[in-house]
Amino acid sequence: MARNEEKAQSMLNRFITLKAEEKKKPRERRPYLASECRDLADADKWRQQIMREIGRKVAEIQNEGLGEHRLRDLNDEINKLIREKTHWERRILELGGPNYTKHSAKMTDLEGNIVDVPNPSGRGPGYRYFGAAKKLPGVKELFEKPPELRKRRTRYDIYKRIDASYYGYRDEEDGVLEKVEGPAQRRIRIEAEEEWRRMDEIRREAKKAVKSGEVVSVGVLKEVLFEEEEDVVEEERREEMEKDKKDKEREFVVHVPLPDDKEIEKMVLEKKKMELLNKYTTQELMEEQNEAKAMLNIHR
Protein backbone atom coordinates (compact mmCIF):
# COMPACT_ATOMS: atom_id res chain seq x y z
CA MET A 1 0.00 0.00 0.00
CA ALA A 2 1.48 3.33 -1.06
CA ARG A 3 2.21 6.06 1.47
CA ASN A 4 0.71 9.53 1.43
CA GLU A 5 4.05 11.13 0.49
CA GLU A 6 4.39 8.82 -2.50
CA LYS A 7 0.83 9.61 -3.61
CA ALA A 8 1.51 13.34 -3.41
CA GLN A 9 4.71 12.98 -5.47
CA SER A 10 3.04 10.97 -8.21
CA MET A 11 2.83 12.51 -11.67
CA LEU A 12 -0.97 12.63 -11.72
CA ASN A 13 -1.27 14.45 -8.41
CA ARG A 14 1.36 17.00 -9.34
CA PHE A 15 -0.40 17.64 -12.64
CA ILE A 16 -3.75 18.20 -10.90
CA THR A 17 -2.18 20.57 -8.34
CA LEU A 18 -0.50 22.57 -11.09
CA LYS A 19 -3.75 22.95 -13.07
CA ALA A 20 -5.61 24.09 -9.90
CA GLU A 21 -2.98 26.75 -9.24
CA GLU A 22 -3.24 27.99 -12.83
CA LYS A 23 -6.99 28.51 -12.44
CA LYS A 24 -6.49 30.58 -9.27
CA LYS A 25 -6.17 34.31 -9.54
CA PRO A 26 -2.85 35.89 -8.63
CA ARG A 27 -2.61 36.55 -4.89
CA GLU A 28 -3.43 40.15 -4.07
CA ARG A 29 -1.23 42.14 -1.79
CA ARG A 30 -2.63 44.49 0.84
CA PRO A 31 -2.10 48.14 -0.10
CA TYR A 32 0.51 49.96 1.94
CA LEU A 33 -1.77 52.97 2.38
CA ALA A 34 -5.46 52.63 3.23
CA SER A 35 -6.21 55.74 1.18
CA GLU A 36 -5.26 53.85 -2.02
CA CYS A 37 -8.30 51.54 -1.64
CA ARG A 38 -11.43 52.72 -3.46
CA ASP A 39 -13.77 49.81 -2.80
CA LEU A 40 -15.65 49.32 0.48
CA ALA A 41 -15.67 45.51 0.17
CA ASP A 42 -11.89 45.40 -0.38
CA ALA A 43 -11.30 47.71 2.57
CA ASP A 44 -13.42 45.48 4.81
CA LYS A 45 -11.52 42.42 3.50
CA TRP A 46 -8.13 43.94 4.33
CA ARG A 47 -9.41 44.87 7.79
CA GLN A 48 -10.51 41.28 8.41
CA GLN A 49 -7.07 40.07 7.29
CA ILE A 50 -5.39 42.38 9.78
CA MET A 51 -7.73 41.16 12.51
CA ARG A 52 -6.71 37.54 11.81
CA GLU A 53 -3.03 38.45 11.98
CA ILE A 54 -3.58 40.24 15.28
CA GLY A 55 -5.43 37.21 16.66
CA ARG A 56 -2.56 34.86 15.73
CA LYS A 57 0.07 37.09 17.28
CA VAL A 58 -1.98 37.67 20.45
CA ALA A 59 -2.34 33.91 20.85
CA GLU A 60 1.40 33.51 20.37
CA ILE A 61 2.35 36.22 22.87
CA GLN A 62 0.55 34.36 25.68
CA ASN A 63 3.53 31.98 25.92
CA GLU A 64 5.83 33.26 28.67
CA GLY A 65 8.68 30.96 27.55
CA LEU A 66 9.40 32.87 24.34
CA GLY A 67 11.89 35.17 26.05
CA GLU A 68 11.94 38.88 26.71
CA HIS A 69 13.21 39.95 23.27
CA ARG A 70 10.70 37.85 21.32
CA LEU A 71 7.85 39.07 23.54
CA ARG A 72 8.81 42.70 22.99
CA ASP A 73 9.04 42.15 19.21
CA LEU A 74 5.63 40.46 19.14
CA ASN A 75 4.10 43.28 21.18
CA ASP A 76 5.55 45.85 18.78
CA GLU A 77 4.15 43.96 15.79
CA ILE A 78 0.71 43.76 17.39
CA ASN A 79 0.69 47.51 18.09
CA LYS A 80 1.75 48.18 14.49
CA LEU A 81 -1.12 46.03 13.19
CA ILE A 82 -3.55 47.82 15.53
CA ARG A 83 -2.49 51.20 14.13
CA GLU A 84 -2.92 49.85 10.60
CA LYS A 85 -6.36 48.50 11.51
CA THR A 86 -7.32 51.96 12.76
CA HIS A 87 -6.34 53.45 9.38
CA TRP A 88 -8.49 50.91 7.55
CA GLU A 89 -11.45 51.51 9.88
CA ARG A 90 -11.17 55.24 9.21
CA ARG A 91 -11.05 54.53 5.47
CA ILE A 92 -14.13 52.27 5.72
CA LEU A 93 -15.99 55.09 7.44
CA GLU A 94 -14.97 57.49 4.67
CA LEU A 95 -16.28 55.07 2.05
CA GLY A 96 -19.67 54.95 3.77
CA GLY A 97 -19.18 51.80 5.83
CA PRO A 98 -19.92 51.10 9.50
CA ASN A 99 -18.03 52.74 12.35
CA TYR A 100 -15.94 49.96 13.94
CA THR A 101 -14.16 52.27 16.38
CA LYS A 102 -17.23 52.43 18.66
CA HIS A 103 -16.81 48.80 19.69
CA SER A 104 -13.03 48.72 20.00
CA ALA A 105 -11.51 46.58 22.76
CA LYS A 106 -10.44 48.21 26.04
CA MET A 107 -7.04 47.89 27.68
CA THR A 108 -7.02 45.75 30.86
CA ASP A 109 -4.48 45.12 33.59
CA LEU A 110 -3.32 41.78 35.02
CA GLU A 111 -6.53 41.47 37.07
CA GLY A 112 -8.83 42.18 34.12
CA ASN A 113 -9.74 45.72 35.13
CA ILE A 114 -10.07 48.34 32.38
CA VAL A 115 -7.26 50.91 32.52
CA ASP A 116 -6.50 54.08 30.60
CA VAL A 117 -4.03 53.66 27.75
CA PRO A 118 -1.26 56.27 27.74
CA ASN A 119 -1.34 58.22 24.48
CA PRO A 120 1.14 61.10 24.56
CA SER A 121 1.08 61.66 20.78
CA GLY A 122 -2.71 62.12 20.58
CA ARG A 123 -2.91 60.24 17.24
CA GLY A 124 -4.88 57.01 17.37
CA PRO A 125 -4.69 54.47 20.20
CA GLY A 126 -1.74 54.47 22.55
CA TYR A 127 0.85 51.74 22.98
CA ARG A 128 -0.65 48.59 24.49
CA TYR A 129 0.71 45.48 26.15
CA PHE A 130 -0.69 41.98 25.60
CA GLY A 131 -0.36 38.59 27.22
CA ALA A 132 3.01 37.82 28.78
CA ALA A 133 4.32 41.26 27.78
CA LYS A 134 2.42 42.72 30.74
CA LYS A 135 4.75 40.82 33.10
CA LEU A 136 8.00 42.06 31.59
CA PRO A 137 10.39 44.09 33.75
CA GLY A 138 9.43 47.75 33.73
CA VAL A 139 5.96 46.99 32.33
CA LYS A 140 4.40 45.34 35.36
CA GLU A 141 4.94 48.53 37.37
CA LEU A 142 2.78 50.47 34.90
CA PHE A 143 -0.28 48.43 35.85
CA GLU A 144 0.26 48.62 39.61
CA LYS A 145 -2.01 51.15 41.26
CA PRO A 146 -0.36 53.56 43.69
CA PRO A 147 -1.53 53.23 47.29
CA GLU A 148 -4.43 55.51 48.06
CA LEU A 149 -3.54 58.21 50.53
CA ARG A 150 -6.24 58.73 53.08
CA LYS A 151 -7.12 62.38 53.01
CA ARG A 152 -7.53 63.95 56.41
CA ARG A 153 -10.97 65.40 56.94
CA THR A 154 -11.19 69.11 57.52
CA ARG A 155 -13.36 70.83 60.08
CA TYR A 156 -15.77 71.77 57.30
CA ASP A 157 -16.17 68.10 56.26
CA ILE A 158 -16.85 67.12 59.87
CA TYR A 159 -19.50 69.79 60.42
CA LYS A 160 -21.10 68.99 57.07
CA ARG A 161 -22.13 65.55 58.36
CA ILE A 162 -23.61 66.87 61.61
CA ASP A 163 -27.40 67.02 61.54
CA ALA A 164 -30.32 66.66 63.95
CA SER A 165 -29.73 62.93 64.40
CA TYR A 166 -26.17 63.66 65.64
CA TYR A 167 -27.61 65.51 68.65
CA GLY A 168 -30.19 62.79 69.30
CA TYR A 169 -33.26 64.74 68.20
CA ARG A 170 -34.47 61.85 66.04
CA ASP A 171 -33.94 59.02 68.49
CA GLU A 172 -37.62 58.83 69.36
CA GLU A 173 -38.97 58.85 65.80
CA ASP A 174 -38.77 55.08 65.33
CA GLY A 175 -40.41 54.34 68.70
CA VAL A 176 -37.69 51.91 69.81
CA LEU A 177 -36.23 54.19 72.46
CA GLU A 178 -39.65 54.84 73.97
CA LYS A 179 -40.32 51.10 74.32
CA VAL A 180 -36.96 50.55 75.99
CA GLU A 181 -36.97 53.58 78.33
CA GLY A 182 -40.69 53.55 79.18
CA PRO A 183 -40.66 50.75 81.80
CA ALA A 184 -37.41 52.01 83.35
CA GLN A 185 -38.75 55.55 83.59
CA ARG A 186 -41.98 54.38 85.28
CA ARG A 187 -40.01 52.24 87.72
CA ILE A 188 -37.70 55.13 88.66
CA ARG A 189 -40.70 57.45 89.15
CA ILE A 190 -42.43 54.91 91.46
CA GLU A 191 -39.23 54.42 93.48
CA ALA A 192 -38.78 58.19 93.84
CA GLU A 193 -42.37 58.63 95.00
CA GLU A 194 -42.01 55.82 97.55
CA GLU A 195 -38.76 57.31 98.85
CA TRP A 196 -40.38 60.72 99.18
CA ARG A 197 -43.35 59.27 101.08
CA ARG A 198 -41.02 57.33 103.40
CA MET A 199 -38.93 60.41 104.16
CA ASP A 200 -42.03 62.52 104.66
CA GLU A 201 -43.40 59.96 107.15
CA ILE A 202 -40.08 59.84 109.02
CA ARG A 203 -39.91 63.63 109.15
CA ARG A 204 -43.42 63.88 110.58
CA GLU A 205 -42.75 61.24 113.23
CA ALA A 206 -39.47 62.93 114.20
CA LYS A 207 -41.17 66.30 114.57
CA LYS A 208 -43.91 64.76 116.71
CA ALA A 209 -41.32 63.01 118.86
CA VAL A 210 -39.30 66.20 119.34
CA LYS A 211 -42.41 68.15 120.36
CA SER A 212 -43.55 65.46 122.79
CA GLY A 213 -40.03 64.95 124.23
CA GLU A 214 -39.70 61.31 123.14
CA VAL A 215 -36.35 59.70 122.30
CA VAL A 216 -35.54 59.68 118.58
CA SER A 217 -32.97 57.34 117.02
CA VAL A 218 -29.75 58.84 115.67
CA GLY A 219 -30.30 57.53 112.10
CA VAL A 220 -33.76 59.03 111.84
CA LEU A 221 -32.53 62.30 113.30
CA LYS A 222 -29.68 62.44 110.77
CA GLU A 223 -32.07 61.85 107.90
CA VAL A 224 -34.42 64.54 109.17
CA LEU A 225 -31.58 67.02 109.68
CA PHE A 226 -30.21 66.22 106.24
CA GLU A 227 -33.63 66.78 104.69
CA GLU A 228 -34.08 70.03 106.57
CA GLU A 229 -30.60 71.15 105.54
CA GLU A 230 -31.43 70.41 101.93
CA ASP A 231 -34.67 72.38 102.24
CA VAL A 232 -32.79 75.32 103.76
CA VAL A 233 -30.15 75.27 101.04
CA GLU A 234 -32.84 75.07 98.36
CA GLU A 235 -34.74 77.93 99.94
CA GLU A 236 -31.60 80.07 100.14
CA ARG A 237 -30.81 79.30 96.52
CA ARG A 238 -34.33 80.23 95.49
CA GLU A 239 -34.18 83.51 97.44
CA GLU A 240 -30.81 84.34 95.87
CA MET A 241 -32.17 83.70 92.37
CA GLU A 242 -35.19 85.91 93.08
CA LYS A 243 -32.91 88.64 94.42
CA ASP A 244 -30.74 88.51 91.31
CA LYS A 245 -33.86 88.64 89.16
CA LYS A 246 -35.14 91.69 91.05
CA ASP A 247 -31.74 93.41 90.72
CA LYS A 248 -31.82 92.85 86.98
CA GLU A 249 -35.37 94.12 86.69
CA ARG A 250 -34.71 97.17 88.86
CA GLU A 251 -35.13 100.35 86.82
CA PHE A 252 -32.56 103.11 86.63
CA VAL A 253 -33.39 105.99 88.97
CA VAL A 254 -32.97 109.44 87.47
CA HIS A 255 -32.02 112.22 89.87
CA VAL A 256 -32.57 115.05 87.38
CA PRO A 257 -35.82 115.90 85.55
CA LEU A 258 -35.94 114.66 81.98
CA PRO A 259 -38.19 116.15 79.28
CA ASP A 260 -41.06 114.03 78.07
CA ASP A 261 -41.98 113.32 74.46
CA LYS A 262 -44.13 116.42 74.02
CA GLU A 263 -41.43 118.76 75.30
CA ILE A 264 -38.83 117.14 73.04
CA GLU A 265 -41.17 117.49 70.07
CA LYS A 266 -41.77 121.17 70.92
CA MET A 267 -38.05 121.85 71.20
CA VAL A 268 -37.36 120.19 67.83
CA LEU A 269 -40.15 122.22 66.22
CA GLU A 270 -38.77 125.49 67.61
CA LYS A 271 -35.31 124.62 66.37
CA LYS A 272 -36.62 123.95 62.85
CA LYS A 273 -38.52 127.26 62.90
CA MET A 274 -35.39 129.13 63.84
CA GLU A 275 -33.39 127.43 61.11
CA LEU A 276 -36.02 128.37 58.48
CA LEU A 277 -36.18 131.99 59.74
CA ASN A 278 -32.39 132.30 59.63
CA LYS A 279 -32.42 130.90 56.10
CA TYR A 280 -35.13 133.08 54.54
CA THR A 281 -35.06 136.30 56.65
CA THR A 282 -32.44 138.95 57.44
CA GLN A 283 -31.27 140.25 60.78
CA GLU A 284 -33.06 143.60 60.31
CA LEU A 285 -36.36 141.87 59.58
CA MET A 286 -35.96 139.76 62.71
CA GLU A 287 -35.33 142.83 64.85
CA GLU A 288 -38.42 144.61 63.43
CA GLN A 289 -40.51 141.49 64.11
CA ASN A 290 -39.28 141.32 67.72
CA GLU A 291 -40.10 145.04 68.24
CA ALA A 292 -43.61 144.52 66.85
CA LYS A 293 -44.14 141.54 69.18
CA ALA A 294 -42.94 143.62 72.12
CA MET A 295 -45.29 146.48 71.28
CA LEU A 296 -48.24 144.09 70.90
CA ASN A 297 -47.22 142.16 74.03
CA ILE A 298 -46.91 138.85 72.17
CA HIS A 299 -44.73 136.31 73.91
CA ARG A 300 -44.30 133.58 71.28
Side-chain angles (χ1 to χ4, degrees):
M1 189 173 181
R3 298 178 181 177
N4 294 332
E5 291 89 356
E6 294 175 358
K7 290 180 181 180
Q9 295 297 328
S10 64
M11 185 65 71
L12 180 59
N13 288 332
R14 281 190 290 173
F15 178 75
I16 293 172
T17 304
L18 184 61
K19 287 294 183 182
E21 290 179 357
E22 287 179 356
K23 291 180 181 180
K24 289 181 180 180
K25 294 181 180 180
R27 188 175 181 181
E28 296 182 65
R29 187 175 181 182
R30 187 168 68 235
Y32 183 74
L33 296 175
S35 59
E36 297 178 356
C37 183
R38 305 294 180 184
D39 188 14
L40 178 60
D42 292 342
D44 193 80
K45 180 181 67 174
W46 298 130
R47 178 185 175 276
Q48 294 295 332
Q49 184 182 9
I50 295 172
M51 293 286 291
R52 288 192 293 270
E53 292 179 10
I54 292 173
R56 287 195 298 270
K57 292 185 181 294
V58 169
E60 185 180 357
I61 204 174
Q62 304 299 326
N63 186 6
E64 298 182 7
L66 294 177
E68 181 179 349
H69 299 289
R70 179 56 182 162
L71 289 173
R72 291 187 183 276
D73 292 341
L74 273 174
N75 204 75
D76 292 339
E77 293 172 5
I78 293 171
N79 279 275
K80 183 180 178 181
L81 289 172
I82 288 175
R83 288 195 298 271
E84 189 175 355
K85 180 177 73 72
T86 305
H87 296 323
W88 282 105
E89 288 175 351
R90 192 182 300 115
R91 183 58 181 168
I92 290 171
L93 188 61
E94 292 174 356
L95 294 173
N99 187 8
Y100 292 106
T101 57
K102 288 183 178 180
H103 310 288
S104 58
K106 304 294 182 180
M107 188 67 183
T108 57
D109 56 7
L110 297 174
E111 299 177 358
N113 301 319
I114 297 175
V115 295
D116 295 331
V117 181
N119 185 18
S121 64
R123 298 175 298 175
Y127 194 86
R128 302 184 181 186
Y129 293 92
F130 299 90
K134 295 179 181 180
K135 300 180 182 180
L136 293 174
V139 179
K140 190 175 181 180
E141 288 78 5
L142 298 175
F143 295 95
E144 292 179 355
K145 296 180 180 179
E148 295 182 359
L149 299 176
R150 187 174 180 182
K151 186 178 178 182
R152 186 175 180 181
R153 292 191 301 171
T154 60
R155 188 181 296 273
Y156 172 75
D157 296 332
I158 295 173
Y159 283 130
K160 191 167 60 176
R161 292 175 173 83
I162 294 178
D163 51 4
S165 59
Y166 175 82
Y167 294 101
Y169 294 145
R170 297 179 180 173
D171 293 344
E172 299 180 0
E173 290 184 356
D174 52 359
V176 177
L177 188 64
E178 186 178 359
K179 293 180 181 178
V180 175
E181 293 184 349
Q185 188 175 5
R186 287 192 293 270
R187 185 177 66 255
I188 293 172
R189 185 182 292 113
I190 293 171
E191 292 176 356
E193 290 177 357
E194 292 177 354
E195 181 68 18
W196 182 83
R197 292 192 186 96
R198 187 178 68 83
M199 294 303 300
D200 187 57
E201 188 68 25
I202 293 173
R203 186 164 52 252
R204 290 177 181 177
E205 292 179 358
K207 289 179 179 180
K208 290 179 181 178
V210 171
K211 289 180 180 180
S212 60
E214 297 179 0
V215 179
V216 184
S217 63
V218 179
V220 174
L221 188 59
K222 282 184 178 181
E223 289 183 0
V224 173
L225 292 175
F226 181 73
E227 287 290 329
E228 291 182 354
E229 185 179 355
E230 282 189 347
D231 294 341
V232 171
V233 172
E234 186 66 26
E235 186 68 25
E236 291 178 354
R237 188 184 296 111
R238 193 180 299 109
E239 290 178 357
E240 187 176 355
M241 289 176 65
E242 291 178 357
K243 184 179 180 182
D244 294 340
K245 188 175 179 181
K246 289 180 180 179
D247 292 340
K248 290 180 181 179
E249 294 177 353
R250 185 180 300 170
E251 296 181 357
F252 179 72
V253 180
V254 182
H255 299 283
V256 293
L258 293 177
D260 55 359
D261 296 340
K262 292 183 179 180
E263 293 179 357
I264 294 173
E265 186 178 354
K266 186 178 179 181
M267 292 169 63
V268 171
L269 185 61
E270 291 293 335
K271 186 177 180 181
K272 288 183 179 181
K273 286 181 180 180
M274 292 300 297
E275 290 177 356
L276 290 173
L277 289 173
N278 294 330
K279 184 176 181 181
Y280 295 106
T281 60
T282 60
Q283 186 68 28
E284 296 176 356
L285 184 62
M286 290 291 296
E287 291 178 356
E288 292 177 359
Q289 186 178 4
N290 292 332
E291 290 178 0
K293 286 183 180 181
M295 292 173 63
L296 297 173
N297 197 12
I298 299 174
H299 301 285
R300 286 191 303 174

